[in-house]
Amino acid sequence: MEKVKCLIIGSGPAGYTAAIYAARAGLSPLMYTGPQPGGQLMITNDVENYPGYPDGRQGPEMMEDFKKQAERFDTVIRDEIIVKVDFTGPIHKAWSESGQEIHAHTVIIATGASAKWLGIPGEERLQNRGVSACAVCDGFFFRKQEVAIVGAGDTAAEESTYLAKICSKVHLLVRRDEMRASKIMQERVLNTPNLIVHWNTEAEEVLGDQGVDGIRIVNNKTGEKSTLAVTGFFVAIGHKPNTDIFADWLTLDNSGYIVVEPGRTFTGIEGVFACGDAQDKIYRQAVTAAGTGCMAALDAERYLVEKGV
Ligand code: NDP
């Protein structure tokens, strides 16, 4: 068993930023990176919207920078997964996959979310070469080009209208004859001239060798198949927050996101703070995740001062 002042679970921009702040405040944080050290940016190419990188940075390189900065201030980083927690008492308990038991005065949850994918041929092979799950991150690379996007919720509505401002034409593929998105978002979609909605339509295959050059689609009512000549393919069918192990302890919303006090990182359990995409289904940007990581570390530090730890 190991005792720490601050345990950080997860290692994307939120987790590393929390580590930098917690370490500099003398909390000697212990970080468990989770199954994908570095988080979603590890599967992203160029990041051009993170301030401070005027020439952009590759996602994995950026996460290496974050990691080095966290290590410079004495964060202990373990590439391992926390599989179980117990938030019953004032000292919070966690167990790693290898069986290590950790007792922590504060826990910062930064486990992020994972984009859902369709699982169709070509989708994984062409990820970062035309296939993306983030229009705000990657739309710019397809300016003045024709692209397709799958989904029918608020994310798909928002991202398709965002893409329509940058791209010459956007095809929105909706699998039913109606959208789930809020009415106002749907109206925006339907009133955007270069955004074409394909109802009852599913993507069957992403085509291309080195990059995307088309999508094979099928109308699930008529069975009619066709090909859209697009260079970008966006998937916006939702995210799954990585919060399963906290379900017995914390309040999650109906999509599984951790509910925090508005504007804060408090989870409702003293000493347990949540930041990044695990508690944010709206913004989901590296820079917003980093911002809430900072907030969680400051909240943890203040909590420890109050408790005299
Ligand atoms: P949602 O779960 O709301 O929607 C997912 C959409 O993807 C559904 O329309 C679903 O279709 C479709 N879908 C799922 N699987 C497939 C598939 N295999 N093939 C084709 N389509 C598929 O996710 P969102 O990310 O859109 O939103 C998540 C939450 O975040 C919501 O509560 C939303 O309101 C909120 N949000 C709010 C925003 C805002 O307020 N500005 C912005 C973005 C999100 P079907 O409808 O047929 O099931």
Side-chain angles (χ1 to χ4, degrees):
M1 194 266 289
E2 183 175 15
K3 284 186 185 164
V4 294
K5 280 188 182 174
C6 180
L7 171 67
I8 298 172
I9 310 177
S11 61
Y16 284 134
T17 305
I20 293 163
Y21 273 78
R24 292 185 81 251
L27 307 190
S28 309
L30 169 64
M31 171 187 277
Y32 275 77
T33 61
Q36 188 174 51
Q40 288 189 78
L41 282 188
M42 299 304 283
I43 52 160
T44 306
N45 272 348
D46 295 304
V47 182
E48 293 186 336
N49 56 7
Y50 199 93
Y53 291 95
D55 301 320
R57 193 93 167 113
Q58 296 282 303
E61 289 172 2
M62 186 192 250
M63 284 302 94
E64 193 54 36
D65 292 345
F66 274 56
K67 184 179 178 205
K68 276 191 201 143
Q69 198 171 347
E71 282 175 330
R72 180 178 152 208
F73 297 111
D74 293 332
T75 303
V76 174
I77 298 178
R78 294 189 189 140
D79 282 348
E80 227 200 298
I81 303 170
I82 294 293
V83 289
K84 190 178 145 196
V85 293
D86 179 341
F87 295 156
T88 334
I91 298 292
H92 305 301
K93 295 180 188 148
W95 289 265
S96 75
E97 199 172 36
S98 64
Q100 178 71 12
E101 181 173 333
I102 300 126
H103 289 194
H105 289 280
T106 60
V107 176
I108 294 177
I109 299 169
T111 46
S114 307
K116 291 183 191 163
W117 296 97
L118 295 165
I120 57 173
E123 182 185 50
E124 193 180 347
R125 181 174 57 82
L126 291 164
Q127 250 174 50
N128 291 326
R129 289 186 289 156
V131 174
S132 165
C134 180
V136 178
C137 318
D138 298 328
F140 185 73
F141 303 116
F142 301 92
R143 61 194 176 279
K144 298 194 170 71
Q145 298 175 38
E146 199 166 325
V147 301
I149 175 166
V150 179
D154 280 328
T155 302
E158 199 168 77
E159 298 208 334
S160 59
T161 48
Y162 175 86
L163 287 170
K165 289 186 199 134
I166 305 169
C167 304
S168 57
K169 198 187 255 187
V170 178
H171 300 271
L172 176 62
L173 312 182
V174 176
R175 67 178 171 184
R176 292 185 292 134
D177 58 4
E178 60 178 1
M179 289 182 75
R180 184 191 293 257
S182 52
K183 203 165 180 316
I184 184 165
M185 301 291 281
Q186 291 193 41
E187 275 166 14
R188 256 177 235 167
V189 166
L190 298 172
N191 290 329
T192 303
N194 62 334
L195 205 175
I196 295 127
V197 183
H198 299 255
W199 303 104
N200 302 306
T201 301
E202 291 175 44
E204 281 195 328
E205 185 176 359
V206 188
L207 307 170
D209 187 12
Q210 292 309 309
V212 172
D213 55 32
I215 306 295
R216 211 150 51 78
I217 58 171
V218 60
N219 182 306
N220 57 27
K221 280 265 153 66
T222 63
E224 191 186 324
K225 294 186 190 232
S226 56
T227 299
L228 290 174
V230 293
T231 49
F233 181 62
F234 292 85
V235 179
I237 60 169
H239 283 74
K240 187 183 179 316
N242 304 315
T243 55
D244 289 354
I245 61 165
F246 309 112
D248 289 343
W249 306 99
L250 305 180
T251 307
L252 308 181
D253 72 8
N254 53 17
S255 306
Y257 289 86
I258 297 169
V259 176
V260 291
E261 193 178 300
R264 305 304 300 262
T265 66
F266 304 143
T267 60
I269 295 213
E270 281 208 339
V272 178
F273 307 93
C275 54
D277 288 9
Q279 53 82 55
D280 171 20
K281 66 179 172 198
I282 308 285
Y283 301 104
R284 297 193 295 237
Q285 299 301 300
V287 70
T288 50
T292 56
C294 159
M295 289 160 63
L298 294 178
D299 284 339
E301 185 197 349
R302 283 173 196 157
Y303 170 83
L304 290 170
V305 170
E306 272 168 29
K307 296 285 166 192
V309 178

